[in-house]
Amino acid sequence: MSVDIAANLKRVRDEINSACLRAGRDPRSVTLIAVSKTHPADIVLQAIAANAMHLGENRVEEAETKIPLVKQAIPKPVTWHMIGHLQSRKAKDAAALFDVIHSVDTLKLGEKLSRHMEELGRTIDIMMEINVSGEVNKYGIAAHDWQTNAETRLALFDSARQFARLPGIRLVGLMTMAPIVNDMQETRPVFASLAQLRDALQLEIGSALPQLSMGMTDDYPVAIEEGATLVRIGRAIFGARTTQ
């Protein structure tokens, strides 16, 4: 079945605008990341032709093939976001491929990225991946009880300070994934908690964390209402994944 990517992008952008209107926000404060997991380079090029300038990938192995093909085919630069779980052994490859990494969930990974970025002579934007929901099957730094548990809160503050000191990387915000639910309104507490944690961390480390990466196809309007600045949309743009 063919997918009209341009029409799908318009629908998503319209929904982003509507969510921003409800929240009293400027739509320009939200960046749409088109997540092309499992979709080939020629499909990505269709999205770029429809002015999708931020692209997301979940797996380094897939990105290693796809990103060079896209770069060879287009003259204008796009921003590549790593949004999937990143293993430490893949840090060097990710550092070379991506412009932004959302899924930094351990200090060990942050340190490896820091070393590789210094070797490359570049700085990369990263986000701390936070497990706000407390689901055991989700990656991220544990934070489900950060508002009530002083030990959890202090550990998060310490992690943020250490990330912020690493050379070659720039800590710009937080990322989370909400639970899969039938009603997107049920995700609201998770998104609100991440926004509140971001505010607390900014005060603690004395530096701005402008980005909140939260919200996907099934819940991004609620995420925007709770402050998302980066939404990661795959299925609503590209249709169902071609493979797992």
Side-chain angles (χ1 to χ4, degrees), residues 18 20 33 46 69 78 99 104 108 110 146 154 162 195 202 204 211 226 242:
S18 296
C20 285
I33 301 171
Q46 292 180 41
L69 288 173
V78 297
D99 304 296
V104 182
K108 176 185 176 183
W146 76 270
L154 291 173
Q162 292 188 70
Q202 287 185 142
E204 182 64 26
Q211 303 293 0
E226 294 299 332
T242 56

Side-chain angles (χ1 to χ4, degrees), residues 11-33 184-185 187-188 190-192 194-195 198 212-233:
R11 277 192 290 272
V12 171
R13 288 169 178 146
D14 287 345
E15 185 57 54
I16 289 172
N17 290 343
S18 296
C20 285
L21 182 64
R22 292 192 297 271
R25 297 180 59 190
D26 185 341
R28 292 173 296 183
S29 68
V30 178
T31 297
L32 169 60
I33 301 171
M184 74 171 71
Q185 295 299 329
T187 64
R188 192 176 295 278
V190 171
F191 298 139
L194 190 76
R198 186 273 307 274
L212 286 175
S213 172
M214 56 189 197
M216 299 189 294
T217 290
D218 292 329
D219 54 26
Y220 71 94
V222 172
I224 290 169
E225 290 170 8
E226 294 299 332
T229 63
L230 298 159
V231 292
R232 313 179 303 268
I233 311 299

